[in-house]
Amino acid sequence: MLTTLLQNIINALQWGSFYSMIALGYCLVYGVLRLINFAHGDIFMVAAYIGFVIVGFLLKFITGSGMSGWLILAITLPITMFLTSLLGVFIERVAYRPLREKGAHRLYVVITALMVGLILENGNLAVFGASNRKFPEIIDKAVYTFGNVRITNLKILVIVAAIVTFIFLQTVVNRSKIGMAMRAISYDKFGIPLMGIPVNKVVVFTFIVGSSLAAVAGILFGMSYPVLDPYMGMIIGWKAFIAAVVGGIGDIKGAFLGGFMLGFIEILVVSFFSSNLKDLIAFTILLIILVIKPTGFFGVAKSTKI
Amino acid sequence: MSLVKITDLTQRFGGLTAVSDLQVDLEEGGLYGLIGPNGAGKTTIFNMVSGFYTPTEGTINFDGNVINGKKPHSVTALGIGRTFQNIRLWHDMTVLDNIRLSQHYHLGYSVFEPFLRTKNYFKNEKRIEDKSMELLGVFNLQDIAHEYPKNLPYGIQRRVEIARALAAEPKLLLLDEPAAGLSSADVVDLIDHIRWIHDNFDITIWMIEHQMEVIMNLCQYIKVIDFGKTIAEGTPDEIQKNPQVIKAYLGDEGDIYA
Amino acid sequence: MGNFQQKSLFTGGGIVFALLLVLAKFGMIDLYVQSVIMFIGINIIFATSLSIVNGYMGEFSCGHAGFMAVGAYVSSVLSVLLFTENSLLGGSLLPPSSAIFLFPFIILIGGVVAAFAGLLVAFPSFKTRDDYLAIITIAVNFIIVTALNNMAFVGGSRGFMGMKKVVYAMTDVVKLPYMLFWVGTFVVLTIFLIRRFFTSTYGKGIIAIKQDEVAAEIMSVDTNKMKIIAFMFSSGLAGISGGLFAHVIGYVNPSSFSILKSTEALVMVYLAGMGSLSGSVISAILFTILLEILRPFAILKWVIIPLILILVMQFRPEGLMGDKELPDLFPKLKKYYKFK
């Protein structure tokens, strides 16, 4: 009984880590630009595919030297982060920035984001075709057993990654100069340039960080659940996003905890009910929370001045 | 006859007390003023009376009914009309539509009737249109009935906004800084306009204003608040000479009237 | 609606429609073309219904396909149950020939149930708006789809069929193009209802909410009640489009009503311009035809369409028609009908 519970907790932590990392990405961009980057889940998906291509390439052409899995990972990760950031920055520059500079209604940017997501999904479908791809196994799984509870090194890696990400972001946003600039922009986009803060540079930085995060999540996800399909970003993205909102979108710890909360809800549902109901119950719980407290647990309500 | 009686009204937002222990007694047919430095809590008081905020403590009694906690549209239906500091007209609808909409509570037909277009529907729509045009005519605004407010001069927009508030036939008209943003010529017109409304409509007016010439020329009785508390009340003459009032507005060094 | 021009517009339109039906009956219109015409009609209803909430009320509802799903499933299950023999649901409860008279009511019932489903979004809308409401609508869409996936008695994720038999039940009596007729009728009904509602002072209360909700509330508009009406009206019509969709295709499946379908509705509404009814109609027609033209391009279709909308957002975000209705662009049309 206790074993199952502990096993479930570990699974929930791992599953929730992915939601958290993706939620943090949403949170960053929303925090600065008040923009729900609906394409973020799909950027995560693209990152997983980029990783898949790079790992495949490395394994095929350089395998003679018997490269260790960790080395492959060490090479793939930064390259993927770099390429994914390029994608993120490109999207920002081409699709979002012109609207931002025009002072366009936020609605138009949100729709653009939704459309970008669709293009990424279907572009991927066009390039890689409909069949799923298998992410190759890179590192050897090491299983540690405590009593009857099993935990693999991969699971630990994922959870640690999520925690490290959270700490990193908290530090950057709350303690660094650029973090202060990010927070300032969220309050007043138009007045800030007058204070000498280079808004565009800060925004680009935000997207680089967000996309890199998505890349880390993407690679780790590919390693943990090796089946890739073009729509994987969509459903995980939406869920992570809802989790971020439940936690309080715009707030880093909110997004972080929201992701884990969703992970726990889903794993608990699967263990008590059937896994078919997992999505349904998770969404229903989220809906209820959103209705009771729309700004989420840690979010700050904005009131209208009369 | 007391139209508005407010007792012990207090509004707290978290740790901030915006209004405390306010007592107000307005007689029917009067023209009252509410003044005070910026941030004193004046608009908060209006927001409580219109029903937008629920007071933390105290009672608001209007025409015999307790209205705190009622939703704004019900408060309006009871007979309170209001204008806003920044004109809140619906800019993408015609002036006529703006006037018609403030009668939304008293349309006289149910939700199904616009689809069915019953005789009752047409009768009421005509009644509303006629009444709206008549009201616009009273203020000589009938020629712009089909214009959009965003295309009109600010002074005219203000008059439209007041007309809109009057369309619901309120007993009490709340004017929140009606002179804000008006040129000095427009302010003179506004003073005449408000005086005319007061003389010709069966109405009580309560006005927040910063521009002293408006307040002093129009109001019969003025209440001065600062930091959410009443610091003085009386006739315009009494207020002008009140040292507390002078101190609140000008600070200690201002002994200009001494 | 009393003058000569309006009467002549309606008679003219009626003649064209009747001609269409006659041609269809005698097999002179290709079945494929017929189905495209019906899809155009269904999309017109679907898009204009969304424009009630996203256009006239200025909210951001992103899960509209959920309501289409409710209408589709309710009317399908009902019609199959009542008029046909079905492996999942058993024999028909009513004589199949009665389908001819009862079919429109089945569609309407689907709409009514969908209207009540709209309350799931209406109530949260009292306290939330913009981004938060958008998320709630997306969550509701997901909930409806996953709930349907879990309902074995309607086929779960494998879907539900049998609606073609309902149409055969009707054609067995007299061979007429029923679906074409009903789609056309409901399109006219939808446009008629929407226009009537928003030209009344009652309906304008909803537009007032879009332009300034605080002012609306304080000027005696019961904003909560109006939101309920708007959402129910919108979802109800979506449900009608769903019911028609289900019977035209003959098969429904929860994944047809995913966020992707909701996105189609968003594309149609925002392409047109949020405040324009005639814009939504034109947009629905163009969009459906575009989908058909791009059909051979299969996947790229869903790269091209989002790209078009992105370009619209960049260069003409107010949509093709912005706030204007058709008579604003072609003043001569004003003789025929007035929108405002």
Side-chain angles (χ1 to χ4, degrees):
Chain A
M1 199 37 224
L2 185 63
T3 355
T4 340
L5 186 63
L6 282 175
Q7 191 68 59
N8 275 331
I9 292 180
I10 291 174
N11 290 338
L13 282 176
Q14 188 218 22
W15 192 232
S17 296
F18 289 112
Y19 284 140
S20 270
M21 284 191 276
I22 299 173
L24 283 169
Y26 274 118
C27 171
L28 265 187
V29 174
Y30 187 82
V32 174
L33 288 175
R34 298 261 160 252
L35 158 71
I36 304 177
N37 185 13
F38 280 128
H40 190 69
D42 296 301
I43 293 181
F44 153 81
M45 176 270 292
V46 170
Y49 272 83
I50 292 178
F52 159 75
V53 165
I54 295 179
V55 171
F57 174 79
L58 287 176
L59 283 180
K60 207 162 161 185
F61 292 103
I62 316 194
T63 239
S65 62
M67 228 182 231
S68 110
W70 290 98
L71 185 58
I72 294 185
L73 186 62
I75 297 178
T76 313
L77 201 54
I79 300 180
T80 311
M81 284 167 73
F82 174 70
L83 290 174
T84 315
S85 301
L86 270 180
L87 177 65
V89 170
F90 175 75
I91 292 174
E92 195 278 319
R93 187 74 188 76
V94 167
Y96 303 150
R97 185 183 301 190
L99 292 175
R100 184 162 50 86
E101 288 181 344
K102 252 189 287 183
H105 198 293
R106 249 171 54 231
L107 179 65
Y108 303 139
V109 195
V110 170
I111 294 170
T112 305
L114 267 170
M115 296 300 114
V116 168
L118 281 177
I119 292 179
L120 289 176
E121 282 162 28
N122 291 288
N124 182 317
L125 198 56
V127 169
F128 284 96
S131 50
N132 297 334
R133 300 293 165 137
K134 186 171 181 324
F135 201 92
E137 246 193 68
I138 321 177
I139 60 176
D140 300 313
K141 283 233 192 79
V143 182
Y144 307 108
T145 347
F146 301 95
N148 274 332
V149 180
R150 303 158 47 109
I151 181 167
T152 67
N153 54 349
L154 186 56
K155 285 201 167 77
I156 299 180
L157 183 62
V158 168
I159 299 173
V160 167
I163 298 178
V164 166
T165 308
F166 170 62
I167 297 176
F168 172 69
L169 283 180
Q170 277 282 71
T171 323
V172 167
V173 171
N174 289 323
R175 311 252 172 118
S176 75
K177 238 167 135 176
I178 195 159
M180 191 155 58
M182 287 163 74
R183 281 178 287 142
I185 294 174
S186 76
Y187 289 117
D188 181 1
K189 225 178 349 203
F190 294 109
I192 289 304
L194 297 172
M195 313 260 164
I197 296 179
V199 174
N200 285 337
K201 292 212 175 92
V202 176
V203 170
V204 168
F205 174 77
T206 310
F207 271 82
I208 291 177
V209 174
S211 309
S212 305
L213 249 180
V216 172
I219 303 261
L220 289 175
F221 192 88
M223 288 163 66
S224 312
Y225 308 101
V227 180
L228 303 180
D229 79 272
Y231 293 108
M232 63 190 257
M234 186 177 84
I235 186 96
I236 294 200
W238 282 123
K239 286 193 193 171
F241 170 58
I242 294 181
V245 174
V246 169
I249 195 163
D251 186 277
I252 293 179
K253 56 178 182 310
F256 182 65
L257 292 172
F260 280 108
M261 200 173 5
L262 181 58
F264 270 92
I265 293 177
E266 288 200 351
I267 297 290
L268 277 176
V269 168
V270 169
S271 54
F272 287 117
F273 306 93
S274 93
S275 71
N276 284 335
L277 289 179
K278 147 178 87 144
D279 287 348
L280 180 59
I281 296 187
F283 278 120
T284 313
I285 294 180
L286 291 172
L287 185 65
I288 295 174
I289 296 180
L290 280 177
V291 168
I292 301 177
K293 195 162 189 318
T295 47
F297 284 103
F298 297 101
V300 178
K302 276 188 294 197
S303 53
T304 337
K305 193 161 178 355
I306 314 250
Chain B
M1 233 291 286
S2 195
L3 182 67
V4 179
K5 202 165 166 62
I6 298 179
T7 25
D8 305 323
L9 196 66
T10 303
Q11 180 69 268
R12 277 186 269 269
F13 296 115
L16 174 73
T17 307
V19 175
S20 60
D21 292 322
L22 188 75
Q23 322 290 337
V24 173
D25 195 337
L26 305 182
E27 301 270 320
E28 239 177 293
L31 214 177
Y32 297 93
L34 181 62
I35 67 175
N38 275 318
K42 313 185 289 293
T43 304
T44 311
I45 295 171
F46 269 21
N47 286 344
M48 286 192 276
V49 174
S50 338
F52 205 74
Y53 297 154
T54 306
T56 324
E57 278 168 38
T59 344
I60 304 177
N61 200 301
F62 174 71
D63 203 21
N65 302 306
V66 173
I67 62 171
N68 21 323
K70 277 203 194 304
K71 303 208 73 186
H73 64 266
S74 335
V75 169
T76 308
L78 283 174
I80 301 184
R82 174 173 178 171
T83 66
F84 300 88
Q85 237 173 299
N86 5 315
I87 298 180
R88 281 186 174 248
L89 289 171
W90 296 294
H91 288 288
D92 286 311
M93 288 204 273
T94 60
V95 163
L96 181 58
D97 277 338
N98 269 272
I99 308 287
R100 282 199 272 226
L101 276 168
S102 69
Q103 302 166 63
H104 205 262
Y105 201 81
H106 301 289
L107 286 173
Y109 55 82
S110 74
V111 62
F112 298 106
E113 295 186 57
F115 300 109
L116 299 169
R117 298 276 157 124
T118 56
K119 277 214 166 67
N120 180 46
Y121 167 79
F122 282 115
K123 192 178 78 177
N124 277 296
E125 283 281 334
K126 183 153 191 349
R127 171 185 64 85
I128 292 170
E129 177 160 347
D130 288 343
K131 182 160 156 214
S132 309
M133 286 305 295
E134 195 190 312
L135 190 60
L136 286 175
V138 158
F139 294 109
N140 212 12
L141 295 169
Q142 70 279 4
D143 296 329
I144 52 156
H146 298 288
E147 288 293 332
Y148 291 95
K150 58 187 174 188
N151 298 329
L152 297 171
Y154 204 77
I156 304 280
Q157 286 186 34
R158 180 57 85 189
R159 292 210 285 172
V160 170
E161 208 203 8
I162 296 177
R164 179 178 71 170
L166 290 172
E169 285 176 10
K171 299 197 184 93
L172 172 66
L173 180 61
L174 301 174
L175 298 173
D176 194 345
E177 295 194 41
L182 294 182
S183 67
S184 25
D186 283 338
V187 170
V188 172
D189 283 341
L190 181 76
I191 295 176
D192 288 337
H193 194 66
I194 296 178
R195 189 178 291 126
W196 189 89
I197 293 175
H198 185 243
D199 291 338
N200 290 286
F201 283 73
D202 184 14
I203 198 165
T204 311
I205 299 181
W206 196 11
M207 178 163 64
I208 293 177
E209 239 324 315
H210 275 305
Q211 303 207 27
M212 285 302 132
E213 66 176 297
V214 178
I215 291 275
M216 298 303 167
N217 273 306
L218 284 174
C219 300
Q220 302 158 339
Y221 195 79
I222 302 173
K223 182 189 269 292
V224 189
I225 66 170
D226 195 10
F227 294 113
K229 294 197 175 69
T230 308
I231 59 175
E233 42 188 292
T235 63
D237 275 338
E238 291 166 358
I239 293 296
Q240 270 178 326
K241 302 207 185 89
N242 186 309
Q244 308 283 77
V245 176
I246 298 173
K247 182 162 150 205
Y249 273 101
L250 300 172
D252 262 320
E253 325 101 62
D255 237 16
I256 301 182
Y257 297 105
Chain C
M1 208 174 25
N3 55 47
F4 175 72
Q5 280 96 356
Q6 289 194 339
K7 285 207 172 108
S8 63
L9 175 73
F10 274 101
T11 15
I15 292 177
V16 169
F17 188 44
L19 195 65
L20 211 60
L21 288 173
V22 166
L23 290 176
K25 155 136 181 90
F26 290 107
M28 300 198 60
I29 305 185
D30 186 50
L31 277 178
Y32 171 69
V33 172
Q34 270 188 59
S35 70
V36 173
I37 294 177
M38 288 192 283
F39 282 124
I40 289 178
I42 290 170
N43 277 339
I44 290 178
I45 301 175
F46 190 43
T48 52
S49 70
L50 184 59
S51 78
I52 294 172
V53 167
N54 282 23
Y56 289 100
M57 198 159 74
E59 276 293 357
F60 196 35
S61 171
C62 302
H64 210 51
F67 306 117
M68 194 188 199
V70 170
Y73 268 83
V74 167
S75 59
S76 300
V77 169
L78 215 51
S79 68
V80 164
L81 189 67
L82 291 177
F83 306 122
T84 69
E85 310 242 335
N86 180 278
S87 56
L88 277 174
L89 298 173
S92 68
L93 294 178
L94 290 176
S97 48
S98 58
I100 295 191
F101 311 107
L102 296 179
F103 182 69
F105 294 104
I106 303 291
I107 299 287
L108 283 171
I109 292 175
V112 169
V113 178
F116 280 98
L119 290 174
L120 283 174
V121 183
F123 288 127
S125 77
F126 294 167
K127 295 229 186 83
T128 62
R129 61 175 65 101
D130 281 340
D131 305 339
Y132 294 111
L133 190 65
I135 300 155
I136 290 179
T137 60
I138 293 167
V140 168
N141 193 175
F142 271 125
I143 288 174
I144 294 176
V145 170
T146 44
L148 286 170
N149 269 322
N150 281 300
M151 290 186 195
F153 71 95
V154 288
S157 56
R158 279 173 312 151
F160 182 76
M161 353 205 283
M163 285 71 84
K164 283 255 190 280
K165 284 203 216 155
V166 175
V167 183
Y168 294 151
M170 295 194 282
T171 53
D172 279 347
V173 179
V174 181
K175 199 164 177 333
L176 288 173
Y178 291 102
M179 286 316 300
L180 191 60
F181 174 72
W182 286 118
V183 170
T185 308
F186 277 109
V187 167
V188 170
L189 186 68
T190 302
I191 298 179
F192 184 69
L193 290 177
I194 295 179
R195 193 182 139 246
R196 277 201 161 176
F197 187 62
F198 287 106
T199 43
S200 72
T201 306
Y202 198 104
K204 286 182 184 164
I206 291 182
I207 304 176
I209 293 178
K210 166 174 155 182
Q211 295 187 14
D212 191 330
E213 186 171 343
V214 167
E217 178 70 32
I218 294 191
M219 290 298 139
S220 91
V221 175
D222 185 345
T223 53
N224 287 350
K225 184 164 96 175
M226 298 309 287
K227 283 178 180 175
I228 291 182
I229 293 173
F231 278 108
M232 286 183 80
F233 190 19
S234 171
S235 321
L237 289 174
I240 289 178
S241 77
L244 293 168
F245 178 78
H247 287 85
V248 165
I249 300 192
Y251 162 67
V252 272
N253 154 302
S255 64
S256 325
F257 303 105
S258 70
I259 193 95
L260 209 61
K261 189 101 192 133
S262 296
T263 311
E264 286 186 26
L266 289 176
V267 171
M268 286 188 271
V269 168
Y270 292 114
L271 187 61
M274 292 197 287
S276 172
L277 180 60
S278 43
S280 302
V281 172
I282 295 175
S283 186
I285 297 174
L286 286 178
F287 181 77
T288 316
I289 295 179
L290 189 65
L291 271 183
E292 286 311 311
I293 294 176
L294 291 177
R295 197 175 275 274
F297 295 98
I299 303 157
L300 278 184
K301 177 170 76 176
W302 277 110
V303 173
I304 296 176
I305 291 171
L307 206 54
I308 293 177
L309 196 59
I310 290 181
L311 289 171
V312 168
M313 288 296 123
Q314 296 281 326
F315 299 111
R316 198 176 158 78
E318 66 272 19
L320 290 176
M321 295 189 61
D323 246 348
K324 306 199 191 342
E325 298 286 349
L326 214 46
D328 295 323
L329 291 180
F330 300 106
K332 290 223 180 99
L333 284 178
K334 280 214 173 96
K335 271 192 299 179
Y336 289 93
Y337 58 111
K338 256 190 335 191
F339 265 96
K340 319 222 164 152

